[in-house]
Amino acid sequence: RLRQRSGPECWPAQQLSQFLAATRHLRLHPALHLAAFTGMRRGEVAGLRWGDWHTSTHRLSIARSRQVVAGRSVEVAVKTRTSRRCVDLDADTERVLRSWRRRQEREGHPVGTNDPIFTNAKGHPVHPESIYQLFHRQVRRLDMPRICFHGLRHTHASLLVAAGTPIKVVSERLGHAHPGFTMATYQHVMPGMGAEAADRFSQLLAATR
C-alpha cells in the first residue's frame, strides 16, 4: 500500500487523469468524475438531487448526505453550516452531468427536481458504499497507487493549492469550518510558495523604481 508520508493520500494530476480516462466506460463514472472535480465526499455525491444543479449559475448546492446506518443508506442533512455550500462546476463536469441525465432518461429513471442524480440500475438512490467499492475495485484493477475514496477529495484540494488557488477558496469549496484547517492539512504542497511571494513582491517594487 503506497502512501504519501507528508500529508494526506493523493495522486498527482497525471494519475488522476489516467484513472478517470480508464473508468470512463463505467455506468457510475459520472459520480467518480464529480468527486474528483469538486472534492465532494461520497455521501454528498450520493445525496444529490437534480434540483441541486443550478444550470444557470453553473453550481451545485450541497445540503444533504447519504450515510450508512445499520447497513442501510439513509438521507441526512449535512453536519455543519460550512458543509452546506455551493460548488462551482467547470464546463466539462456539466457535460458529464448532462450526458448522465440523458442516460437516466433512457433507462426510464425520473430526473425531476426531487429525484436523485445518482441511482443504481433499478433506479434507487445509489448506496454510498457502492461508490466506495467501485472506486477501490478500479484502483486495484488498474494497479494504481492505493488511496482511499477520500483521497479523491485530498487530490482535488492538493492540486488546487499547488496551483496557487487561495486557501480561502479551497476551504469554501471543501466545506471546511476554517481556512486554517485547510492550510494545516495541505501545507505539504505549499513549499516554494513563500519564495514565489517574496520574488513577486520584489518585482512589484522594482517596477516602481
Side-chain angles (χ1 to χ4, degrees):
R1 183 177 176 83
L2 301 179
R3 290 177 179 266
Q4 287 199 356
R5 295 185 179 181
S6 55
E9 296 178 325
C10 58
W11 285 331
Q14 183 178 5
Q15 287 180 341
L16 177 60
S17 180
Q18 175 188 344
F19 175 80
L20 292 175
T23 57
R24 195 165 288 139
H25 66 286
L26 299 173
R27 180 179 178 275
L28 281 175
H29 171 263
L32 300 177
H33 175 103
L34 189 64
F37 273 68
T38 63
M40 292 173 64
R41 303 171 179 92
R42 62 178 176 177
E44 293 172 342
V45 172
L48 287 171
R49 300 177 187 173
W50 283 111
D52 296 328
W53 179 22
H54 309 293
T55 55
S56 60
T57 58
H58 312 290
R59 305 180 95 193
L60 267 179
S61 293
I62 301 171
R64 71 193 71 79
S65 176
R66 281 203 161 268
Q67 301 295 326
V68 181
V69 178
R72 296 184 58 189
S73 171
V74 297
E75 186 178 282
V76 298
V78 292
K79 293 182 179 180
T80 65
R81 179 180 56 81
T82 50
S83 292
R84 187 184 183 95
R85 64 199 186 279
C86 284
V87 176
D88 290 284
L89 299 177
D90 61 284
D92 186 42
T93 296
E94 291 201 293
R95 281 194 292 272
V96 169
L97 286 177
R98 281 193 291 270
S99 177
W100 170 249
R101 185 165 56 188
R102 289 193 294 270
R103 176 167 183 164
Q104 292 281 72
E105 290 173 332
R106 290 196 302 271
E107 292 180 350
H109 301 167
V111 292
T113 300
N114 290 317
D115 295 313
I117 289 184
F118 296 111
T119 59
N120 59 25
K122 295 182 178 180
H124 300 147
V126 69
H127 198 293
E129 280 293 323
S130 296
I131 301 176
Y132 176 87
Q133 292 169 6
L134 173 66
F135 173 78
H136 282 278
R137 283 198 304 271
Q138 297 308 309
V139 171
R140 289 194 298 270
R141 178 179 71 86
L142 298 169
D143 195 27
M144 297 189 66
R146 298 289 182 86
I147 65 173
C148 63
F149 184 86
H150 204 72
L152 287 179
R153 178 174 168 85
H154 290 317
T155 297
H156 180 79
S158 296
L159 293 177
L160 287 179
V161 172
T165 307
I167 286 292
K168 189 174 189 302
V169 173
V170 178
S171 180
E172 290 175 350
R173 193 164 177 83
L174 296 180
H176 284 165
H178 195 278
F181 174 80
T182 311
M183 181 175 291
T185 304
Y186 299 105
Q187 62 185 352
H188 65 289
V189 295
M190 297 175 68
M193 285 188 172
E196 291 175 12
D199 289 340
R200 197 174 303 123
F201 186 84
S202 177
Q203 291 164 10
L204 287 172
L205 286 196
T208 67
R209 295 183 187 131

